[in-house]
């Protein structure tokens, strides 16, 4: 990259929704007494905390990007660049904008910041936000289906995305002889990690391998599509969460202007952003767009997959975690299940993956997810993860954020500047 980019720090709000103890719904004791935070509160909270955590003066920010997918549908609010400018008086009149790429909106906000740094900016605010719980999961599924090719794919099931990934699960399992238990281990790890993360949507819900390995009354298959219904249970799904994340990205001069040492930061040493046609489907057993983005990111970073010590992957469904591990070069096709089975991707393993719980455990407020992934890697590298901190602070890490059915992919590689 022509000018180097460094993550200085940031903040996540709690990710909440059904199943979170603080989430207000009709059976909650506070129902009618208080509301869940909305889009404005969440975005403001993440940005304000990011400034507080990093000590960055908002007046110094050169540009701002906010990732969001469907604010217009869930919150009847668009024009979120102006919402970002509204999070602090000192941001007024600065160039801020919203970036959209379905569930990769946050990743796109991040690569927009890298472009801005390359073009001469020194301090860039990157945020992501989504609110999804003010509609039922079924109505929300129709909104989220806008990330598919709606005209062609909406009819697959009322729960379009769970069905699209039910399709991937079916073909992946059939092609490689992968079992439901092999995939269920991804859910068990996600909930186990989330149980150690105070900001996680599923911080208080347990998941055992028996429950995650077979449909049951408490963990039903819920699709109407008979071909894919057996392949997706509740426990295979990412959460319908509300939340926001924000980070500050700086150039070398920007880090110096903050009076910081580069050692306090995490450098983004490579990024790959690939987009495939919305109008076509590719091999369901491979995330080919993500794999292409990974190759670009690794080449730019000058590294190989086997040098990476930690990963944040877009587990929108449990099968996606396995497909991601293969697309990122950590396992051969069909073999990612062994990494989960052998504990390699556990917090205590040699390649911890989604230590805060990922999209299944931490939650998936769509526009925030890509930003949260970058912040999670920063927090692990700086020893800030508390009960889910890995033992040895990683030096090299990767994040993979995906939009739609692997149509937009953003892969970023991080180096801890410490030591
Ligand atoms: N037995 C049978 N069926 C049951 C059931 C049971 N015990 N419990 C629930 N169901 C069925 C019902 O059909 C129910 O629908 P109705 O409410 O209309 O009756 C349906 O499951 C949903 O049930 P709930 O509303 O109780 O479930 P929930 O609110 O807890 O949601 C979920 C569960 C549907 C799995 C939801 O978490 C979900 O949709 N998750 C996936 C979210 C998603 O798709 N995100 C996008 C990921 S894709 C991506 O990241 C890329 C991109 O660009 C979009």
């Amino acid at each position: 990259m022509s000018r180097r980019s460094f993550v200085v720090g940031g903040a996540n709000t709690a990710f909440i929704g059904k199943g979170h103890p603080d989430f207000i719904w009709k059976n909650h004791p506070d129902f009618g007494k208080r509301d869940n935070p909305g889009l404005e509160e969440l975005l403001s909270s993440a940005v304000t905390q990011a400034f507080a955590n990093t000590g960055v003066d908002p007046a110094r920010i050169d540009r701002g990007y906010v990732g969001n997918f469907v604010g217009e549908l869930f919150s009847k609010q668009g024009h979120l660049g102006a919402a970002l400018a509204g999070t602090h008086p000192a941001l007024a009149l600065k160039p801020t904008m919203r970036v959209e790429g379905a569930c990769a909106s946050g990743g796109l906000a991040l690569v927009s910041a890298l472009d801005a740094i390359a073009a001469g900016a020194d301090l860039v605010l990157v945020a992501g936000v989504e609110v999804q719980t003010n509609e039922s999961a079924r109505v929300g599924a129709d909104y989220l289906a806008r990330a598919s090719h709606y005209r062609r794919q909406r009819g697959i099931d009322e729960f379009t995305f769970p069905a699209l990934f039910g399709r991937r699960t079916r073909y992946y399992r059939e092609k490689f002889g992968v079992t439901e238990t092999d995939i269920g281990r991804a859910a068990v790890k996600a909930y186990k990690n989330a149980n150690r993360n105070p900001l996680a949507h599923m911080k208080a819900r347990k998941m055992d391998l028996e429950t995650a390995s077979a449909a049951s009354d408490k963990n039903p298959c819920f699709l109407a599509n008979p071909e894919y219904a057996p392949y997706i249970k509740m426990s295979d799904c990412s959460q319908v969460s509300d939340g926001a994340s924000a980070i500050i990205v700086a150039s070398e001069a920007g880090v110096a202007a903050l009076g910081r040492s580069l050692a306090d930061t995490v450098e983004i040493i490579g990024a790959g952003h690939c987009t495939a046609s919305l109008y076509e489907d590719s091999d369901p057993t491979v995330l080919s767009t993500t794999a292409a983005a990974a190759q670009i990111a690794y080449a730019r970073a000058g590294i190989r997959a086997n040098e990476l010590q930690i990963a944040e992957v877009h587990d929108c469904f449990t099968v996606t975690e396995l497909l991601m591990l293969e697309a990122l070069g950590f396992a051969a096709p069909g073999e990612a299940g062994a990494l989960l089975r052998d504990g390699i991707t556990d917090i205590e393993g040699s390649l911890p993956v989604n230590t805060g719980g990922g999209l299944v455990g931490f939650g998936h407020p769509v526009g925030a997810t890509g930003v949260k992934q970058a912040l999670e890697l920063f927090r692990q590298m700086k020893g800030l993860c508390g009960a889910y901190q890995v033992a040895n602070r990683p030096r090299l890490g990767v994040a993979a954020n995906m939009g739609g059915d692997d149509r937009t992919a953003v892969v970023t590689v991080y180096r801890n500047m410490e030591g």
Side-chain angles (χ1 to χ4, degrees):
M1 280 177 222
S2 49
R3 292 179 86 228
R4 298 164 71 188
S5 296
F6 303 87
V7 180
V8 176
N12 289 316
T13 66
F15 288 3
I16 68 165
K18 249 172 141 174
H20 187 287
D22 297 339
F23 180 68
I24 305 294
W25 61 294
K26 61 181 183 309
N27 289 341
H28 193 283
D30 285 354
F31 183 70
K33 294 182 201 153
R34 62 179 173 97
D35 292 328
N36 293 306
L39 188 143
E40 293 176 37
E41 291 83 17
L42 290 167
L43 183 60
S44 281
S45 164
V47 170
T48 305
Q49 285 180 60
F51 286 133
N53 289 351
T54 57
V56 170
D57 176 356
R60 286 179 172 267
I61 293 292
D62 294 318
R63 286 171 186 269
Y65 298 93
V66 54
N68 174 262
F69 177 33
V70 279
E72 291 86 346
L73 296 177
F74 281 110
S75 302
K76 298 188 172 60
Q77 186 61 63
H79 200 180
L80 297 184
L84 186 63
T87 56
H88 194 283
L91 295 177
L93 304 185
K94 291 184 186 287
T96 52
M97 67 172 83
R98 178 236 192 116
V99 183
E100 189 272 307
C103 299
S105 298
L108 292 185
L110 181 59
V111 291
S112 303
L114 302 183
D115 289 345
I117 299 270
D122 287 317
L123 278 179
V124 183
L125 171 63
V126 181
V129 65
E130 207 79 48
V131 166
Q132 308 175 97
T133 64
N134 40 17
E135 298 284 2
S136 69
R138 193 175 289 277
V139 170
D142 182 40
Y143 296 170
L144 293 172
R146 268 72 166 178
S148 71
H149 181 206
Y150 195 89
R151 193 173 67 184
R152 182 171 57 94
Q153 294 178 310
R154 174 62 180 139
I156 188 172
D157 194 274
E158 271 197 273
F159 289 95
T160 303
F161 268 92
L164 288 170
F165 282 85
R167 173 176 168 272
R168 284 189 182 272
T169 308
R170 177 188 165 177
Y171 289 110
Y172 181 71
R173 285 187 51 191
E174 284 177 3
K175 181 169 177 182
F176 298 110
V178 170
T179 67
E180 214 170 348
T181 302
D182 292 330
I183 295 177
R185 287 194 184 92
V188 175
K189 174 171 72 67
Y191 280 76
K192 193 171 71 177
N193 293 355
N195 293 165
R196 290 160 70 166
N197 175 4
L199 295 183
H201 186 148
M202 287 301 173
K203 67 178 185 177
R205 283 261 172 106
K206 305 283 177 211
M207 181 61 60
D208 57 53
L209 191 56
E210 193 189 341
T211 308
S213 296
S216 60
D217 286 349
K218 66 173 179 175
N219 187 19
C221 295
F222 60 95
L223 298 177
N225 181 315
E227 197 181 342
Y228 305 127
Y231 294 92
I232 289 284
K233 307 177 293 296
M234 293 281 194
S235 62
D236 293 310
C237 297
S238 57
Q239 305 312 319
V240 172
S241 317
D242 301 341
S245 301
I247 59 172
I248 314 286
V249 181
S251 67
E252 212 166 341
V255 174
L258 295 172
R260 296 290 172 73
S261 139
L262 287 183
D264 297 338
T265 71
V266 163
E267 183 174 4
I268 302 178
I269 56 172
H273 165 203
C274 292
T275 319
S277 168
L278 188 62
Y279 309 128
E280 290 162 23
D281 293 334
S282 46
D283 178 349
T285 67
V286 180
L287 298 178
S288 46
T289 315
T290 301
Q295 288 312 311
I296 294 169
Y298 294 172
R300 291 195 175 144
I303 59 127
R304 289 173 189 277
N306 62 11
E307 294 176 65
L308 292 159
Q309 296 156 339
I310 189 163
E312 280 286 314
V313 307
H314 192 101
D315 58 325
C316 50
F317 297 92
T318 45
V319 73
T320 329
E321 175 155 341
L322 281 76
L323 294 172
M324 279 270 158
L325 294 173
E326 294 168 16
L328 293 174
F330 297 133
E335 292 180 11
L339 299 179
L340 287 149
R341 187 197 58 219
D342 298 343
I344 289 166
T345 55
D346 285 350
I347 289 173
E348 297 76 17
S350 56
L351 178 69
V353 174
N354 294 354
T355 57
L359 284 60
V360 169
F362 200 150
H364 186 24
V366 171
T369 287
V371 183
K372 180 223 52 180
Q373 291 179 326
L375 182 57
E376 283 297 280
L377 292 176
F378 175 90
R379 295 179 71 246
Q380 282 291 0
M381 288 180 174
K382 298 303 176 195
L384 301 173
C385 285
Y388 67 97
Q389 178 64 46
V390 302
N392 298 315
R393 292 193 200 174
R395 200 177 65 82
L396 284 174
V398 64
N401 183 206
M402 186 180 83
D405 190 8
D406 191 41
R407 302 293 86 192
T408 296
V410 176
V411 176
T412 35
V413 180
Y414 301 76
R415 178 171 59 200
N416 192 355
M417 295 299 288
E418 224 166 77

